[in-house]
Structure formats: C-alpha cells, structure tokens
Amino acid sequence: MHRIPAMILLASCACAAQAQDAGGEDLYRSLKAHDAEFFERGFNRCDLDYLADAVHPQLRFYHDQGGFQDYDAFLDNTRRYICADPARKPIRKVDPDSLAAFPLYDDGVLYAAIHSGVHHFHMREPGRPDTPTSSARFTHVYVRKDGRWLLKEVLSYDHQAPGHASGN
C-alpha cells in the first residue's frame, strides 16, 4: 500500500461561530475563501505550480498515518500520489460548518492565522460518482507574506473511514 498521500493527510474541528467570534468575520471569510482556492487548485485540479507557490518553503506537515513531510516531500508526494492518475483521482471536500479561524498578532499586527476544520476525501473515477474514502481533522497555520497567505504548518489527524468520527 502507498504511503498516505500528502494532501489527503490534512485534518481539527471547531465551529464557525467560534471562528467568527474569536478571529473576526473578515479573517474567517478570507481563510474560508483561501482554503477553497488552495484545495480546488492544488489538490483537486493538481495545479502544482500554484501549489508550490502557495506553500511556505519551510513547510512542516505532521500526519497521524503518513508521518512528517517537509516542503519537498509534500510536493513530491502530491505529484506522485494525488496527481499521478486522472483515472483514480483523490478529491477533497471541506465541511463548511466545521471551519474556524483564529488570528495571530505580533504587536497588534496580524502576521499569521490558525485555520481548522474537517474535510472529507473521495475517489473520482470517470463515469462514476465520487466514492467517499475518509474524513479527517486539520489544523493549518498560515503566515502572511507580501499580502498573501502561505501554508506553513499542518496537523492532519483523526483519519476515519467514511461514516465514522471525524465531523460526523
């Protein structure tokens, strides 16, 4: 069996109301939109140039089943396991009600944010409906650089088979 794919390995749950209260509505909306673009382009559509530019060069990725990955291993695993076979393509769908966002300030300046939630993974095959494969919790730390969010820290955990604990 292949080592657990890099991006399938993301995963932390909290409610949207907490995110709005603790992090502010603007931060919540900004990270929700960023998450949607990041995973649609980088994971679901395999835009690897976009992904390489959207991840911090000092990425640290911790996965409960696949171990630790740095930037190079993350991009390599995404290419090899997520994007190699369009006939069996892993797809990520976030649970929008699970998302939370929390700001990190340095002397009153927003320099980073914590983004957490639950996402569900599916296998997409031509001519067939997407098949659920797992659910997991994620906690991401994004840093602000030149007005952009870069993914720098990832915790991916509590991976469960479809219909089990994560987010159900």
Side-chain angles (χ1 to χ4, degrees):
M1 182 170 163
H2 291 296
R3 187 168 165 88
I4 299 295
M7 300 268 312
I8 288 180
L9 321 171
L10 302 173
S12 162
C13 182
C15 72
Q18 285 177 316
Q20 293 167 2
D21 293 342
E25 185 69 26
D26 288 343
L27 178 65
Y28 173 80
R29 279 196 306 266
S30 175
L31 287 177
K32 183 177 180 181
H34 180 75
D35 178 273
E37 179 180 18
F38 182 91
F39 282 96
E40 181 57 31
R41 286 183 69 181
F43 188 89
N44 294 346
R45 288 195 274 145
C46 291
D47 182 342
L48 298 179
D49 290 335
Y50 166 84
L51 190 62
D53 193 47
V55 174
H56 194 282
Q58 295 173 346
L59 175 74
R60 294 164 29 132
F61 188 118
Y62 301 90
H63 188 271
D64 65 346
Q65 297 173 346
F68 176 80
Q69 297 175 52
D70 64 9
Y71 177 88
D72 292 329
F74 173 78
L75 292 177
D76 185 55
N77 285 339
T78 301
R79 181 183 46 75
R80 290 173 55 207
Y81 301 118
I82 304 301
C83 300
D85 184 1
R88 289 189 45 81
K89 173 69 185 81
I91 298 295
R92 185 254 196 183
K93 299 177 184 180
V94 72
D95 177 349
D97 294 331
S98 73
L99 295 176
F102 303 91
L104 299 173
Y105 295 101
D106 185 5
D107 284 332
V109 175
L110 179 68
Y111 73 95
I114 298 167
H115 192 236
S116 62
V118 172
H119 46 199
H120 307 285
F121 299 97
H122 300 77
M123 185 60 67
R124 181 167 289 164
E125 298 174 284
R128 301 180 75 185
D130 290 350
T131 304
T133 58
S134 68
S135 294
R137 299 175 189 276
F138 66 90
T139 300
H140 296 161
V141 175
Y142 285 100
V143 295
R144 289 293 280 174
K145 184 172 180 184
D146 301 325
R148 300 180 328 129
W149 291 114
L150 295 178
L151 183 61
K152 186 167 185 189
E153 305 278 338
V154 176
L155 301 175
S156 181
Y157 55 96
D158 194 27
H159 285 77
Q160 304 288 328
H164 290 87
S166 288
N168 292 337

